Amino acid sequence: MQRSSDRERLPTRTRARAMVARLLIALLLPAAMLWLVDRPGWLQMLDTMVYDSVLPLAAPPASPDILIVAIDEQSLRELGRWPWRREIYARLLEQLAPAAPRAVLLNLFLTEPSPDAGDDEQLARAMDRLPVYLPMLRDSGTAPGFLPPLPVFAAHARGVGHAELALDGDGVSRTLYLREGPAGRGQYYVGALMAGYGSAAEPEAEPAAIAPGDWRHEQPVRMFFAGARGSYRTVSYASVLRGEVPAALLQGKLLLVGATAHGLGGQVPTPNAGVAALPGIEVHANLIDGLLHGRNVRMPAPLAYAAWTTLPIWLVLFLLVHARRHALVFISGLALSWLLLCVLAMPLLHWWLPPAAPILGMLALYLLWSWRRLESQFVYFRQRAKTLDSLPASAFQALAALAIPMQAPPANPQQALDRAIARIGRMQTLMDEALQIMPAAVLICDDTGYIGSSNAAARRLLDETLRATMHAPARPPQGMHLPTLLGSLGGVASEGIEAIGAHWSEDLRREYRTSDGRIFQLEAEAFGTTEAGDRNWIVVLPEMTAEREAQNQREEWRRLLSHDLRSPQMTILSLLSMYRPTENIDVLLHAVRREAERTVSLAEGFMDFVEAGSDDYSMEDTHLGTVLLDARDQVWPYARASQVQIETRISDADELAMHADGVLLTRAIVNLLNNAIRHSAAGGRITLCLAAEPGAGAQEDSRAFIAVSDDGEGMSHAQLNNLLNGTRPQRSNDEVTHGSADEPHAPIRRRGMGLGFAVVRTVLRRHGGHIEAASATGAGTTFWISLPLRGSLP
């Protein structure tokens, strides 16, 4: 959407110039490629290399209708040195006549009379017995043309034609011209006459004057080649003369008589010949085979070739305009497709589609387009760099602007770009450093809630969350789903959030509590674009632990003042108002004493809470075993009065020590023991244990574990969560058994677990400790305290 809007904002003049440029490219580049491919050069060489590589894929098998009678080394040894007497050729034809071959090509130039006229007459008579075809010799003298065989031979031959094997510029024979020669005197290829092409009719009228070099090549045909040397069945000339070749092998065949021995000349390089060249007679066998069976390579007509070259260039231009982002991939695929079509067209359709021009055109168009884009981008960058360099300093650049005074306008665009990059770099560094040192957890998320970046505080928070709630190893939060992480803290799964229908940033604006009791509040704000899906979000998780603890303290104080402290005083006033002089004064005094003790107990609990929350801690090396024994001794009278037994299990007490305020730590253990005694029935048992666990690594301290376990009345899961989290007041000091006249000596209940447990949480947090608990109704309660051991006492 952004890209289309940018295009709409382009000036009309700019769009018109772009359209004209594209139209010129679409017309001129194909024309340039077609012009280049018609010129000898490296482009034709590329096509030739591909042609020679593809041609063997379509090589047809050698036709069994063609048999070569080879003038080979064996024949030369038996019949003598070359050239032979024409009487030997006559004997060959006389030997072949009874087998009735279809035609015989006598690939010999009979343009000069023999020293023995009888030999010529004998050969002429032998030619009458067979359909014999003779080649013409090319004359490159002052009047270029072909020299026909002697009249005595031409009169008895079935056909006479040229036997020129045309060579390309690289010296390889790929093309046959069915008719070639001087203007007006062109001759048909002798093999074409054997295959039924052309006619031996009178040639065209000779022009008045033939300019030197006025040689015409007409009706070009590109032929297939069956393979390397020896692809066609061959018999020795001498073997035929001796009658060793069966007539069945000769009957109905096209017999090609020619030299194959090395040193006799006529060796022609062909695409399928491999390292060695083919003898000329084998080249004629391939050409005649192709003409006889119509197996020639078809070339596209000029209009078809123009379309073959132009179409991919236009497709590339379309892709560059409408699919610019993936244009290179599409162009590469299109070029490979064009090359594959070229390769497959040869064996499947016998078509040769030259690939160099279209592929080079695609490459040239991409390079030209890229160059134009780079040029326009350079112009744009120069303009934007000047604009950016001229902007006033922002708030994040205040310090940098003071340190580096503004300079004069840059002399060239490079300087402007360098200065702009330096300013952005300084601003980014300042922003990154400011983000990292912020005490609050800050994250940058996309519109779906996935984390892109974070500061150090956020990484620490999420690492603790992963370890505590998901039991997953710590890892960078980049790429993690923030609603899922916060859902685990808030007790809401990510699926539930999505079902609500609101954006995650709105639905998650609440407080979250970590496993160690820290409280965070989510705040999120979108920045950047305002379109949904493209927005980015800055998420802040400020810690609210101190504020919530202050609120809890205020609630404790309010409850203490409004209820706990008022309750015993109101009881005293009620007792005094109900007293009659006739009643027993001892009962009244006992009740007043009990309520006064309750008031003192509440006041002590309040003072303990205030002292635990203050900064007035006296930290020193303290034996944990001593702390537990002191706590047990302090609650022993209460336990004895409640008929509860305390069993102490201290492992290696003399070895376990930490830097702590022993008085307040003892007070916290006393509160837990008092709570266990209060909720234990007569005859119950309380277990107080101390043990240690070594650290997992060199960077982690060993820890001490203190357990307080009772077999009392226990509590529900909800009550336990409320007690551990301090979310609402628990049963407190008002939960005492009020005495009466019938029970004047009822035991006085000690302090409850409202302020008492708040004291425990505060003291443990100040010592780096942590408390957990397990309880069930009617099954007792167990509290576990974990404290870090930073070395033992000497």
Side-chain angles (χ1 to χ4, degrees):
M1 296 178 63
Q2 185 69 23
R3 187 181 303 168
S4 61
S5 61
D6 292 341
R7 285 201 298 266
E8 292 174 359
R9 288 195 293 267
L10 288 175
T12 305
R13 183 177 179 181
T14 303
R15 291 199 300 268
R17 288 165 60 185
M19 290 296 296
V20 171
R22 295 168 189 170
L23 182 61
L24 290 176
I25 291 175
L27 295 177
L28 296 181
L29 188 56
M33 293 297 104
L34 293 173
W35 180 83
L36 283 175
V37 81
D38 287 336
R39 300 295 181 273
W42 59 272
L43 198 61
Q44 286 189 355
M45 290 176 58
L46 290 176
D47 280 333
T48 300
M49 292 173 59
V50 177
Y51 179 84
D52 291 347
S53 301
V54 173
L55 191 63
L57 300 178
S63 174
D65 296 332
I66 297 177
L67 180 67
I68 296 177
V69 180
I71 303 174
D72 53 8
E73 286 81 358
Q74 177 185 350
S75 301
L76 292 176
R77 286 193 299 269
E78 293 184 12
L79 300 177
R81 295 178 57 187
W82 186 265
W84 294 335
R85 291 178 55 190
R86 290 176 180 170
E87 175 266 339
I88 296 178
Y89 307 142
R91 288 166 49 196
L92 175 70
L93 295 180
E94 291 170 354
Q95 184 68 30
L96 294 174
R102 179 177 174 181
V104 177
L105 171 61
L106 197 59
N107 192 29
L108 302 170
F109 296 112
L110 305 176
T111 58
E112 297 291 338
S114 176
D116 187 349
D119 290 349
D120 291 345
E121 292 178 359
Q122 182 181 355
L123 178 58
R125 289 194 300 272
M127 291 173 59
D128 287 336
R129 304 178 62 182
L130 293 168
V132 177
Y133 290 83
L134 297 177
M136 302 176 72
L137 177 64
R138 180 171 178 173
D139 183 11
S140 301
T142 56
F146 287 109
L147 295 178
L150 293 174
V152 64
F153 300 126
H156 295 273
R158 178 66 62 89
V160 176
H162 80 83
E164 285 295 305
L165 299 177
L167 301 178
D168 293 343
D170 58 353
V172 179
S173 177
R174 300 181 183 88
T175 305
L176 167 70
Y177 295 96
L178 294 181
R179 188 180 183 95
E180 69 172 274
R185 291 189 298 162
Q187 300 293 331
Y188 268 101
Y189 170 58
V190 63
L193 298 176
M194 294 179 68
Y197 285 73
S199 168
E202 292 294 328
E204 303 173 7
E206 183 175 348
I210 300 176
D214 189 11
W215 193 274
R216 295 188 179 181
H217 299 85
E218 301 174 355
Q219 302 179 32
V221 177
R222 289 205 174 192
M223 308 302 296
F224 289 105
F225 295 88
R229 187 186 185 102
S231 298
Y232 285 87
R233 189 165 187 178
T234 303
V235 295
S236 175
Y237 193 104
S239 299
V240 177
L241 282 182
R242 290 195 302 267
E244 298 175 353
V245 179
L249 184 62
L250 303 174
Q251 186 177 9
K253 299 294 193 298
L254 292 177
L255 304 181
L256 308 182
V257 181
T260 62
H262 294 285
L264 293 185
Q267 303 294 315
V268 181
T270 61
N272 281 33
V275 178
L278 286 182
I281 194 64
E282 288 200 35
V283 177
H284 287 297
N286 281 278
L287 301 179
I288 294 172
D289 189 3
L291 292 173
L292 187 65
H293 296 92
R295 294 187 301 210
N296 58 301
V297 180
R298 289 180 286 180
M299 304 290 292
L303 186 60
Y305 180 69
W308 163 258
T309 303
T310 303
L311 180 60
I313 297 177
W314 288 355
L315 288 177
V316 168
L317 184 60
F318 177 82
L319 292 174
L320 290 173
V321 174
H322 297 283
R324 186 178 306 170
R325 178 176 301 178
H326 306 290
L328 182 58
V329 177
F330 291 152
I331 293 171
S332 301
L334 186 61
L336 292 176
S337 300
W338 235 246
L339 182 60
L340 184 61
L341 286 175
C342 166
V343 173
L344 295 179
M346 183 72 80
L348 298 180
L349 304 175
H350 293 177
W351 274 89
W352 166 239
L353 302 173
I359 294 179
L360 179 64
M362 288 187 273
L363 177 61
L365 177 56
Y366 180 74
L367 293 177
L368 180 62
W369 188 274
S370 299
W371 174 77
R372 287 294 303 158
R373 284 196 62 199
L374 287 176
E375 181 65 24
S376 62
Q377 290 294 330
F378 286 150
V379 173
Y380 175 78
F381 285 153
R382 285 195 293 268
Q383 295 174 351
R384 302 310 297 172
K386 292 180 180 178
T387 303
L388 181 60
D389 189 69
S390 63
L391 290 177
S394 64
F396 283 98
Q397 291 179 274
L399 299 178
L402 294 176
I404 302 177
M406 292 299 293
Q407 303 175 1
N412 53 60
Q414 288 80 4
Q415 292 181 358
L417 184 59
D418 291 341
R419 285 176 50 174
I421 293 175
R423 293 179 62 190
I424 294 176
R426 292 192 300 268
M427 182 171 61
Q428 182 178 2
T429 301
L430 183 60
M431 293 178 65
D432 289 342
E433 292 178 353
L435 179 66
Q436 292 300 323
I437 65 176
M438 289 183 65
V442 180
L443 305 104
I444 306 298
C445 303
D446 63 10
D447 205 38
T448 60
Y450 284 93
I451 301 173
S453 60
S454 59
N455 66 349
R459 289 191 292 272
R460 289 193 299 269
L461 171 63
L462 296 182
D463 286 349
E464 296 169 0
T465 302
L466 287 173
R467 287 194 299 263
T469 62
M470 295 187 174
H471 305 289
R475 62 184 179 91
Q478 280 73 10
M480 300 175 66
H481 195 227
L482 181 61
T484 302
L485 294 176
L486 296 182
S488 65
L489 290 178
V492 180
S494 58
E495 292 81 6
I497 296 171
E498 295 174 357
I500 296 175
H503 192 267
W504 61 268
S505 63
E506 296 295 334
D507 189 74
L508 299 180
R509 293 179 187 270
R510 61 170 74 101
E511 293 183 357
Y512 299 91
R513 182 183 298 271
T514 63
S515 59
D516 58 353
R518 299 169 65 190
I519 302 174
F520 295 86
Q521 184 176 12
L522 182 139
E523 295 293 337
E525 192 66 35
F527 66 95
T529 179
T530 58
E531 298 181 3
D534 293 336
R535 296 174 298 182
N536 291 320
W537 291 81
I538 181 169
V539 178
V540 183
L541 293 168
E543 186 169 0
M544 309 295 293
T545 307
E547 288 80 353
R548 295 299 172 260
E549 288 182 350
Q551 291 179 1
N552 292 336
Q553 291 178 6
R554 288 195 298 270
E555 288 296 323
E556 294 287 346
W557 297 340
R558 182 191 62 79
R559 183 169 57 83
L560 179 66
L561 296 175
S562 64
H563 184 269
D564 292 354
L565 288 180
R566 291 178 68 250
S567 177
Q569 305 303 319
M570 294 301 296
T571 301
I572 292 175
L573 294 177
S574 298
L575 291 173
L576 292 176
S577 64
M578 293 185 298
Y579 175 72
R580 298 291 181 267
T582 59
E583 296 179 356
N584 190 349
I585 189 63
D586 292 336
V587 176
L588 175 61
L589 291 177
H590 178 77
V592 171
R593 178 183 179 84
R594 183 188 61 217
E595 296 305 321
E597 289 180 353
R598 283 186 60 203
T599 304
V600 173
S601 178
L602 289 172
E604 290 177 353
F606 176 71
M607 294 305 298
D608 290 345
F609 183 72
V610 172
E611 184 179 359
S614 68
D615 294 330
D616 190 15
Y617 274 57
S618 179
M619 309 295 286
E620 57 184 0
D621 290 333
T622 304
H623 288 282
L624 291 181
T626 302
V627 170
L628 265 64
L629 294 176
D630 289 345
R632 182 198 62 183
D633 293 342
Q634 291 184 30
V635 301
W636 181 80
Y638 182 33
R640 183 178 180 184
S642 300
Q643 301 180 14
V644 175
Q645 182 180 356
I646 300 178
E647 179 181 350
T648 306
R649 300 175 184 175
I650 300 177
S651 174
D652 298 330
D654 294 335
E655 301 292 334
L656 302 181
M658 64 177 294
H659 201 63
D661 188 324
V663 175
L664 288 177
L665 196 57
T666 302
R667 191 81 50 81
I669 304 300
V670 167
N671 287 351
L672 291 177
L673 291 173
N674 280 334
N675 183 64
I677 295 170
R678 182 170 58 253
H679 294 286
S680 296
R685 179 185 297 272
I686 297 174
T687 304
L688 179 63
C689 301
L690 173 63
E693 180 179 294
Q699 302 299 325
E700 185 174 346
D701 295 327
S702 300
R703 300 190 72 85
F705 292 92
I706 300 172
V708 178
S709 179
D710 65 69
D711 54 3
E713 63 187 27
M715 64 187 81
S716 66
H717 181 70
Q719 291 173 329
L720 182 62
N721 284 338
N722 293 331
L723 180 64
L724 292 175
N725 298 328
T727 54
R728 64 185 180 88
Q730 304 299 310
R731 292 191 305 170
S732 186
N733 303 329
D734 56 329
E735 298 182 2
V736 297
T737 304
H738 296 278
S740 63
D742 297 331
E743 296 179 334
H745 301 288
I748 301 174
R749 295 285 187 175
R750 303 299 180 185
R751 286 166 288 168
M753 289 303 293
L755 287 175
F757 201 79
V759 171
V760 174
R761 289 197 307 268
T762 304
V763 170
L764 293 180
R765 185 171 63 252
R766 297 294 293 273
H767 285 83
H770 182 65
I771 186 169
E772 296 180 0
S775 181
T777 304
T781 304
T782 299
F783 289 93
W784 294 280
I785 295 175
S786 172
L787 292 169
L789 291 176
R790 299 179 179 87
S792 59
L793 294 176

